[in-house]
Amino acid sequence: MIDTRLQRAPLKPDSILDLQQATQHILWIGCCDSNAKESTVLNILSEEIFVLRNLGNMIINGDLSCETTVKHAVVDLQVKHIVVCGHYGCRIVNTTSRDGLKGPWSSKLNVLHSVHEEDLNQLPVRERDRFFVELNVLDQIRSLRQLSEVTDAITLGRLHIHGLVYDSETEKACRVLERHQNH
């Protein structure tokens, strides 16, 4: 049975507010092996985006680089949006092989895979990997929401988190939402 908590929606050019200001109002957390160009995907000026690229666009507890970047973006820059963007065809976030990936990154993906293994195994390999990328984006959003700076900013109504998946074949992104979200 496919996980019905997941929903895909087209990414409209104005889905994330186009501020058209040369100030960083968006933190983009993307994968280091993605070819997605952040400003092109969001149709905004590159000066509006503060970018973090890492392994599998993952939020790992204790990752000083990631935690410091998020804190700086949320507290100092006071970004209004955080975008977690995965990409189809990711060589890090896939269901078949994570060769060379060690430590907490591998562990986190293994836990995510085992939680959704039954649903994943019902899909053809290509769709399985695509679905796993989407599940990873949602999992990273949940991890972001556990960071105190993020929680506080969301509570104050000044921060919104968005999940996207980029498809290099179509050169487009789609939003990935938990089933209960209405955005």
Side-chain angles (χ1 to χ4, degrees), residues 150-163:
V150 172
T151 302
D152 293 346
I154 290 171
T155 301
L156 293 171
R158 63 173 193 81
L159 181 65
H160 305 280
I161 300 177
H162 311 271

Side-chain angles (χ1 to χ4, degrees), residues 56-59 84 108 136-144:
N57 46 275
M58 296 177 72
I59 311 301
V84 177
K108 190 167 186 173
N136 182 57
V137 167
L138 295 175
D139 190 52
Q140 302 322 309
I141 289 172
R142 285 188 287 275
S143 294
L144 260 178

Side-chain angles (χ1 to χ4, degrees), residues 24 26-30 38-39 46 49-53 69:
Q24 295 168 323
I26 299 167
L27 170 61
W28 175 281
I29 301 173
E38 303 85 7
S39 58
S46 59
I49 305 173
F50 188 62
V51 177
L52 169 66
R53 284 188 180 259
T69 301

Side-chain angles (χ1 to χ4, degrees), residues 48-122:
E48 294 179 79
I49 305 173
F50 188 62
V51 177
L52 169 66
R53 284 188 180 259
N54 62 18
L55 295 172
N57 46 275
M58 296 177 72
I59 311 301
I60 301 292
N61 189 22
D63 179 343
L64 187 58
S65 177
C66 181
E67 289 176 359
T68 302
T69 301
V70 171
K71 182 176 181 177
H72 175 65
V74 172
V75 174
D76 300 330
L77 298 176
Q78 295 191 4
V79 296
K80 295 178 179 21
H81 302 274
I82 297 177
V83 173
V84 177
C85 186
H87 64 103
Y88 297 131
C90 184
R91 293 181 300 269
I92 296 162
V93 180
N94 63 63
T95 57
T96 54
S97 170
R98 287 188 274 288
D99 293 337
L101 192 61
K102 304 280 186 226
W105 294 269
S106 179
S107 297
K108 190 167 186 173
L109 289 173
N110 290 340
V111 168
L112 182 64
H113 185 271
S114 86
V115 166
H116 298 281
E117 188 168 18
E118 186 176 321
D119 290 337
L120 288 164
N121 286 338
Q122 293 181 33

Side-chain angles (χ1 to χ4, degrees), residues 3 5-8 57 84 86 108 112 116 131-145 161-165 175-181:
D3 188 330
R5 295 173 292 177
L6 183 105
Q7 176 181 339
R8 295 180 191 106
N57 46 275
V84 177
K108 190 167 186 173
L112 182 64
H116 298 281
F131 185 52
F132 194 55
V133 165
E134 295 163 354
L135 291 171
N136 182 57
V137 167
L138 295 175
D139 190 52
Q140 302 322 309
I141 289 172
R142 285 188 287 275
S143 294
L144 260 178
R145 289 188 173 137
I161 300 177
H162 311 271
L164 303 180
V165 177
R175 295 181 70 190
V176 181
L177 309 165
E178 297 278 0
R179 180 60 79 184
H180 65 276
Q181 287 182 303

Side-chain angles (χ1 to χ4, degrees), residues 2 9 17 21 45 71 86 112 125 128 135 144 172:
I2 301 302
L17 183 61
Q21 299 171 4
L45 301 171
K71 182 176 181 177
L112 182 64
V125 172
R128 187 180 313 162
L135 291 171
L144 260 178
K172 301 219 182 279

